Amino acid sequence: MANLSVEIAGIRFPNPIMPAAGPPVRDARAILRCAAGGAGGLVSKTISTRAATPPIPNIAEIPHGMVNTELWSELPPEQWIDREYALAGGTGLPFIVSLGYSADDIAWLAPRIRPFADAVELSTHYIGEDAGPMIAAIGAAKAALDVPVFVKLSPLGREMVRAAEQAESAGADGIVAINSFGPVLAIDPDTRLPYLGGSDGYGWLSGPALKPLAIRCVRDIARAVDVPVIGVGGVGRGIDAVEMLMAGASAVQVCTAAMLHGPAIFGRIAHELDLWLDEHGYASAAELTGLALAAMPAAWSAGQPVVHEGPCNGCDLCAMACPYDAISVVDKLAVIDLAACARCGLCVTRCRRGAIEWVPEVPVA
Ligand SMILES: Cc1cc2nc3c(=O)[nH]c(=O)nc-3n(C[C@H](O)[C@H](O)[C@H](O)COP(=O)(O)O)c2cc1C
C-alpha cells in the first residue's frame, strides 16, 4: 500500500480525495456520509450571510456532465453556525468551511465559523471579473482567522493564472480550482425548454466534460504560484485523480461524481489511486504532485504512432477515425502508412487496447 496522506498548508489529510462544496455536503448529515464514504478531508457547502433561493428546477444530468443553477446554501447561516458545523465535527478529518462572497459577508461570517474550521475556502463565484472584491474578501478572512485561507476560482473570462497570483499576493494560503463553468445552456427536446429554471435557463457545467479545462487551469496555476493547489473538476475515478495530482494539485475535490454515485466514491477513488501508485512503483500520492509540470521535450513533437502487434486485434477503430486515411487493417493488424500519416496522434487515444503508442523521435523511414 502506498502512503496516501498529503499535507496542505500545514494540515495533514489521510488521503487526498475530498468532497467539493455542493450537494454532497449540503448539511451535517451529508458531510458525515462523506466521512463514512472514505473522504480524506471535508468541505462544507458554501454559505453566505443569507440563505440562497435558487431557481427551480436547478440540476440536470446531461451527457458527459451536469448543469446546475444552484447558488450557495439554502440553509440560513445561523443554522450552520448553531447546529450543522458542530454536528459535522468530531470525525477527526480536516474540515474546510466554504464561505462567500464579498468582504463584508466574510467579515460577518468568519468570526462566527472560526471555532469549527481547520481552513476556509472562499468562493469567488459571484464577485465578478475584477480582482478587487476577491482581494478584499481574502483580507477580511485573514483579519478574522488564524487558519489557512484557500481561494476557489471560477473559470470566468478573467484570466485564472493572474487571479491566482493576485490571490497569493493578497495572502491566500492555497488555490482551489475550478468551480463549474458557464453560463451554459442545455435544452430538453421533448419540452423544447431549458432543463433548468430561471429567466434564461442558464446553468453551470460540471463533471467529466469539465475535466480538461480544470486540468489546464490547475497546471497553469501550479506553475505560477508557490502555494498549494487543490484540483476540482470532472474527477470520478482514481486515474482522474492521478492526472489532477500530476497537473500540480496537492489534493482533489469531487462533486458531480459524488452526487451521481454516492459518498462511497471518495474511498473508491482513494483505493483506485492506491492501486495505481502500487502498480506504477510510487510510494506515495504526494510524489505525483506536479510531475506533469515539466516543459514538453522537443523529441515528443518529433514522434510518430507505432502499432504493437500483440495487443492489436484489428478492430478497425483507428482506421475508421484516421482523418488522413493513413491506417488500414491487414490480416487483423493495423498498419500505418507513414507517408500519408500527418502525425495528428488521434489513433493513439482512439485505440482501446493500448496497441498504438506515440514514440518520440523515431526516424521516419
Ligand atoms: C449542484 C452543484 C452545486 C454546487 N455548489 C457549489 C457551492 O455552493 N460552492 C462552490 O464553491 N462550488 C459549488 N459547486 C461547484 C463544485 O464544487 C465543483 O467546483 C464543480 O462542480 C466541479 O467539480 P465536479 O466536476 O467534481 O462537480 C457546485 C456544483 C454543483 C454541480
Side-chain angles (χ1 to χ4, degrees):
M1 267 180 56
N3 177 5
L4 291 185
S5 79
V6 293
E7 192 185 309
I8 301 172
I11 305 172
R12 170 86 27 209
F13 295 76
N15 76 61
I17 314 298
M18 64 183 101
V25 289
R26 62 183 317 110
D27 58 17
R29 276 182 50 196
I31 293 170
L32 291 174
R33 282 198 292 264
C34 295
L42 298 171
V43 179
S44 48
K45 171 81 181 167
T46 306
I47 64 161
S48 195
T49 43
R50 61 188 168 81
T53 47
I56 53 167
N58 54 46
I59 306 176
E61 185 182 5
I62 58 168
H64 313 300
M66 185 176 273
V67 289
N68 88 88
T69 181
E70 245 197 22
L71 304 170
W72 55 96
S73 178
E74 290 143 53
L75 306 179
E78 293 78 9
Q79 182 175 334
W80 281 96
I81 293 158
D82 296 342
R83 187 185 142 83
E84 305 298 326
Y85 292 129
L87 279 177
T91 63
L93 293 172
F95 194 78
I96 302 173
V97 172
S98 174
L99 302 176
Y101 291 89
S102 69
D104 284 349
D105 295 336
I106 304 301
W108 189 86
L109 291 166
R112 291 171 168 80
I113 61 88
R114 194 167 176 224
F116 312 106
D118 295 311
V120 295
E121 183 183 290
L122 304 182
S123 172
T124 58
H125 209 53
Y126 300 107
I127 56 174
E129 302 283 297
D130 175 17
M134 172 187 78
I135 290 168
I138 296 168
K142 296 293 284 186
L145 299 167
D146 49 11
V147 294
V149 174
F150 304 142
V151 173
K152 182 168 180 185
L153 297 176
S154 296
L156 298 169
R158 174 156 49 94
E159 221 284 293
M160 289 201 71
V161 172
R162 181 86 193 104
E165 288 169 343
Q166 288 169 313
E168 182 181 41
S169 301
D173 301 288
I175 306 293
V176 182
I178 57 177
N179 213 310
S180 43
F181 172 81
V184 297
L185 185 63
I187 292 170
D188 179 349
D190 291 330
T191 62
R192 294 171 287 155
L193 294 170
Y195 287 104
L196 304 181
S199 55
D200 43 26
Y202 285 174
W204 300 82
L205 180 69
S206 63
L210 190 67
K211 198 183 84 175
L213 177 61
I215 298 285
R216 192 276 289 179
C217 292
V218 166
R219 189 198 64 169
D220 289 357
I221 291 168
R223 277 182 173 162
V225 300
D226 292 326
V227 292
V229 181
I230 298 177
V232 49
V235 172
R237 300 168 305 164
I239 198 71
D240 302 324
V242 168
E243 199 180 336
M244 196 61 97
L245 296 172
M246 285 185 170
S250 297
V252 174
Q253 295 182 351
V254 180
C255 179
T256 298
M259 290 172 67
L260 296 178
H261 304 293
I265 195 152
F266 302 106
R268 200 150 67 229
I269 296 173
H271 177 64
E272 288 172 7
L273 172 64
D274 191 13
L275 290 179
W276 192 95
L277 291 166
D278 275 351
E279 279 166 17
H280 292 79
Y282 293 97
S284 69
E287 281 172 56
L288 296 187
T289 295
L291 287 184
L293 290 181
M296 295 289 283
W300 187 252
S301 307
Q304 65 183 47
V306 171
V307 178
H308 295 293
E309 290 189 19
C312 178
N313 65 352
C315 74
D316 207 38
L317 278 184
C318 58
M320 218 170 348
C322 176
Y324 303 96
D325 286 330
I327 308 181
S328 45
V329 173
V330 181
D331 293 335
K332 296 208 172 218
L333 180 67
V335 177
I336 301 177
D337 173 1
L338 288 173
C341 170
R343 277 64 173 172
C344 75
L346 172 60
C347 54
V348 176
T349 46
R350 184 69 182 130
C351 180
R352 294 291 170 268
R353 300 172 63 86
I356 309 183
E357 184 187 5
W358 185 264
V359 179
E361 264 191 334
V362 174
V364 178

